[in-house]
Amino acid sequence: MSGDLIVGDEASGLGLKSYGPHTYACRPPGVSHGPFRSTHGRLLFEIHFYD
């Protein structure tokens, strides 16, 4: 919703992706979770789906 979100392992560079404000990320089943960090803070809305 606002701020920045960085997903992935910065040390190894694996899966490193940055999301700015007004963007969203969707993780399909089986995709690893995190690590996450933010440079300036992040306000987000998270939804969980369970089978």
Side-chain angles (χ1 to χ4, degrees), residues 6-10 12-19 32 34-35:
I6 301 165
V7 180
D9 182 16
E10 191 169 0
S12 69
L14 294 176
L16 198 60
K17 182 150 176 84
S18 181
Y19 297 90
S32 41

Side-chain angles (χ1 to χ4, degrees), residues 28-51:
V31 173
S32 41
H33 180 85
F36 303 108
R37 72 180 184 88
S38 176
T39 305
H40 304 288
R42 176 81 174 177
L43 174 64
L44 58 89
F45 176 68
E46 187 169 339
I47 299 173
H48 295 258
F49 294 94
Y50 297 98
D51 198 12

Side-chain angles (χ1 to χ4, degrees), residues 1-5 18-26 42-45:
M1 293 175 75
S2 67
D4 67 287
L5 177 67
S18 181
Y19 297 90
H22 310 292
T23 61
Y24 70 93
C26 178
R42 176 81 174 177
L43 174 64
L44 58 89
F45 176 68

